[in-house]
Amino acid sequence: MSTLKIQNLHVSIDDKEILKGVDLEVRTGEVHALMGPNGNGKSTLLSSIMGHPKYIVTEGSIMLDDQNVLDMEVDQRSRAGLFLGMQYPQEIPGVTNSDFLKAAMNARREKPISLFQFIRTLEKNIAELEMDENLAHRYLNEGFSGGEKKRNEILQMKLLEPKFALLDEIDSGLDVDALRIVAKAINSMRSDDFGCIMVSHYQRLFELVKPTHVHVLVNGRIILSGGYELIEKIDEQGYDWIREEYGVEIEIEKETPRVILGSCAANVNSHQ
Ligand SMILES: Nc1ncnc2c1ncn2[C@@H]1O[C@H](COP(=O)(O)OP(=O)(O)OP(=O)(O)O)[C@@H](O)[C@H]1O
Ligand SMILES: [Mg+2]
């Protein structure tokens, strides 16, 4: 059994504190649902666990068993078994999806995967996810529809077999059939060697992938944890009752530019 343990995590972006002391412990075998109003820090938490360079950890710790995650580069975190399915997957023109997937798999193996084994694994998973085979040969996410991008994130997760998957709104953009297929793929990963943090705004995904734990993140803190009944209550009543019962002010998200992974790569058109 492995444990991902987050303690008193404070994270800032551009000198603005977004996470203000998050405590969360996830063990393999568990699926944790993370909910909360827009702009309250859910993606910030997942991106910080994965090591997005724009998010600055100012206090607290992230441990994967006895390894200090905060000391690791992103690729080391991936090799250690962490995986992020992004809310807004990036388009990377010039890199084919299959080359990307093979490189990602090989980065985690001592001996490179044989072409035969890679193609067999890829085709099996593409078929299971009912994806268009051509998507493997196109440039990564370029021109993919919203739903195709999300399925492609799940394809990556299936091939990389992480210990802990961080799935950020994996259900957004999926039609009802695709949602069922993706839920089935996540459920097929569930085992004593797999843990998951799943962010979603909607009960629908959690009806299909039943979480073992549920948390609500407001104003950069997990202010409430419980079971499935929390999801039902949020679905019926929204978040206003939390403000009343717990006396917290829920920040309204202001229009600010979002950080996307692409902003780390050289982008001649933007001067960020
Ligand atoms: N580059 C940035 N500059 C300034 N603020 C930022 C930047 N990136 C994110 N933020 C802010 O951080 C806060 C938390 O954003 P985050 O994406 O973590 O929210 P979220 O809970 O995932 O919301 P949603 O449910 O809408 O996905 C928001 O107020 C957002 O505007
Ligand atoms: Mg988000």
Side-chain angles (χ1 to χ4, degrees):
M1 188 192 76
S2 281
T3 306
L4 179 65
K5 191 169 183 176
I6 296 143
Q7 282 181 303
N8 190 32
L9 192 70
H10 289 249
V11 172
S12 294
I13 179 154
D14 295 341
D15 288 333
K16 182 185 173 202
E17 186 167 66
I18 310 287
L19 298 184
K20 302 166 184 169
V22 171
D23 293 296
L24 181 63
E25 192 169 326
V26 182
R27 289 173 208 85
T28 45
E30 299 175 349
V31 171
H32 289 237
L34 183 62
M35 302 185 83
N38 290 136
N40 275 252
K42 301 178 299 298
S43 296
T44 301
L45 176 60
L46 299 197
S47 297
S48 304
I49 298 171
M50 202 64 222
H52 191 305
K54 273 262 180 177
Y55 296 92
I56 309 299
V57 175
T58 55
E59 209 182 322
S61 64
I62 306 176
M63 298 294 293
L64 176 55
D65 298 323
D66 56 359
Q67 303 174 84
N68 185 348
V69 172
L70 294 178
D71 282 347
M72 300 179 192
E73 299 295 331
V74 179
D75 60 313
Q76 292 172 312
R77 296 183 198 205
S78 169
R79 274 193 282 271
L82 298 176
F83 172 83
L84 174 63
M86 286 183 279
Q87 183 171 0
Y88 305 107
Q90 289 306 293
E91 301 193 358
I92 309 193
V95 177
T96 65
N97 202 10
S98 61
D99 280 349
F100 170 78
L101 290 165
K102 184 143 65 65
M105 285 171 86
N106 280 339
R108 301 185 51 171
R109 298 163 60 98
E110 290 204 348
K111 234 178 103 200
I113 188 169
S114 75
L115 192 59
F116 174 73
Q117 201 192 340
F118 172 68
I119 289 172
R120 210 173 52 175
T121 313
L122 181 67
E123 284 180 348
K124 176 174 164 284
N125 282 287
I126 281 184
E128 271 173 26
L129 287 166
E130 298 184 30
M131 290 170 71
D132 183 337
E133 283 169 35
N134 289 329
L135 292 179
H137 310 295
R138 281 170 50 187
Y139 290 147
L140 181 60
N141 287 324
E142 194 187 37
F144 285 24
S145 74
E148 285 170 345
K149 283 181 181 170
K150 291 302 168 114
R151 265 193 245 205
N152 205 47
E153 296 291 288
I154 293 297
L155 175 66
Q156 289 169 30
M157 177 184 77
K158 297 268 290 176
L159 294 183
L160 295 179
E161 300 181 323
K163 226 183 263 180
F164 288 101
L166 317 167
L167 302 179
D168 199 352
E169 297 200 23
I170 202 68
D171 51 340
S172 72
L174 294 179
D175 66 45
V176 279
D177 294 328
L179 182 64
R180 245 178 255 125
I181 292 163
V182 161
K184 194 171 157 202
I186 300 169
N187 281 328
S188 76
M189 299 281 295
R190 289 180 86 156
S191 78
D192 291 345
D193 299 318
F194 176 79
C196 184
I197 305 176
M198 252 188 336
V199 170
S200 175
H201 289 292
Y202 303 108
Q203 186 176 358
R204 189 143 204 167
L205 173 67
F206 298 129
E207 275 170 359
L208 298 169
V209 185
K210 282 267 156 53
T212 54
H213 301 68
V214 180
H215 312 279
V216 183
L217 195 151
V218 175
N219 285 354
R221 283 194 194 93
I222 290 177
I223 57 155
L224 196 56
S225 295
Y228 195 78
E229 71 287 346
L230 263 180
I231 295 174
E232 289 172 326
K233 189 158 179 185
I234 289 166
D235 197 60
E236 281 166 20
Q237 303 179 26
Y239 292 102
D240 274 354
W241 60 277
I242 292 182
R243 190 175 51 202
E244 281 150 29
E245 278 183 34
Y246 293 85
V248 287
E249 267 311 310
I250 296 178
E251 263 183 33
I252 308 294
E253 189 178 19
K254 295 169 211 79
E255 278 297 311
T256 43
R258 291 203 161 262
V259 170
I260 45 179
L261 272 186
S263 60
C264 308
N267 182 346
V268 288
N269 295 318
S270 83
H271 301 282
Q272 295 188 29

